[in-house]
Amino acid sequence: MHFTIKQPETKKEFEACYDLRWRVLREPWQQPRGSEKDELENKSIHIMACDENNNVIGVGRLHFNNETEAQIRYMAVVPEYEKQGVGTLILEALEEKAKQQCNIIVLDARENAIGFYQKKDYELLEKSHLLFGSIQHYRMEKNLL
Ligand SMILES: CC(C)(COP(=O)(O)OP(=O)(O)OC[C@H]1O[C@@H](n2cnc3c(N)ncnc32)[C@H](O)[C@@H]1OP(=O)(O)O)[C@@H](O)C(=O)NCCC(=O)NCCS
């Protein structure tokens, strides 16, 4: 299966990214449109994966917390394309961007995704927030040096 990775540029591409985020990370918990975004979108680095027909099949986002630390949020792959390497390519692209400016990446992983990040050398630190009253998150970190 063939897919490509890039940074969204057009309004249409950004809308497709937010739509995928919403469908994977918000809709199953009956959360409204708009809840898939935060106040850091314009200051963040966005990555999207597309299939051969240019449909968005995965997304991820990186922002900088300070001079030494970057944070990943909103990693999402559509269910039909899970476990085929899409998440890996998105994560690697975000890590490359982070390496250019800092040496640590942190993230809050959903409990079901911890195994994915552990495979990518993220260390499990502690329980963090509970989202929508049901999705436990765990703080994880990777040293890029
Ligand atoms: C978690 C997620 C981003 C992973 O993306 P993906 O494209 O399925 O991951 P990959 O195919 O690149 O997987 C890389 C490796 O991690 C493993 N893996 C993937 N998802 C996993 C999971 N949830 N738990 C444990 N291992 C996982 C794969 O089996 C693969 O292992 P291998 O290298 O031994 O073959 C994706 O499954 C997803 O969007 N899930 C639903 C939304 C979500 O939970 N997002 C994360 C929010 S923190």
Side-chain angles (χ1 to χ4, degrees):
M1 187 251 320
H2 179 71
F3 47 81
T4 51
I5 295 285
K6 64 176 191 168
Q7 289 181 248
E9 288 169 6
T10 65
K11 189 164 184 271
K12 199 174 161 203
E13 285 173 339
F14 272 101
E15 277 169 8
C17 289
Y18 294 136
D19 180 64
L20 186 149
R21 259 194 211 174
W22 180 74
R23 282 185 279 126
V24 175
L25 299 172
R26 294 292 183 265
E27 187 184 18
W29 292 271
Q30 295 81 45
Q31 299 302 308
R33 291 227 183 232
S35 64
E36 76 282 7
K37 297 181 200 170
D38 67 20
E39 67 290 353
L40 297 173
E41 305 301 349
N42 294 336
K43 296 179 184 160
S44 299
I45 295 168
H46 299 256
I47 296 287
M48 65 195 281
C50 298
D51 67 12
E52 57 273 18
N53 299 317
N54 238 6
N55 296 312
V56 187
I57 55 170
V59 294
R61 194 196 80 177
L62 182 88
H63 67 268
F64 294 93
N65 289 331
N66 53 50
E67 282 174 11
T68 56
E69 182 183 283
Q71 181 165 351
I72 287 176
R73 285 202 75 186
Y74 302 117
M75 283 285 299
V77 174
V78 292
E80 308 89 278
Y81 282 93
E82 271 184 25
K83 306 263 167 82
Q84 296 172 54
V86 178
T88 298
L89 278 189
I90 295 170
L91 192 63
E92 286 174 357
L94 295 173
E95 289 179 354
E96 275 309 308
K97 296 288 179 188
K99 270 183 200 164
Q100 293 166 12
Q101 290 192 47
C102 68
N103 48 35
I104 290 183
I105 296 186
V106 296
L107 55 83
D108 291 304
R110 292 181 177 212
E111 194 157 25
N112 66 287
I114 289 173
F116 168 70
Y117 293 112
Q118 281 177 326
K119 286 207 160 166
K120 307 298 172 188
D121 300 322
Y122 285 76
E123 187 187 348
L124 184 57
L125 298 183
E126 62 197 359
K127 237 183 207 188
S128 53
H129 61 283
L130 191 65
L131 184 66
F132 313 141
S134 63
I135 313 172
Q136 184 62 57
H137 281 66
Y138 289 81
R139 177 61 45 142
M140 300 185 79
E141 162 182 298
K142 179 171 180 171
N143 193 330
L144 301 171
L145 292 178

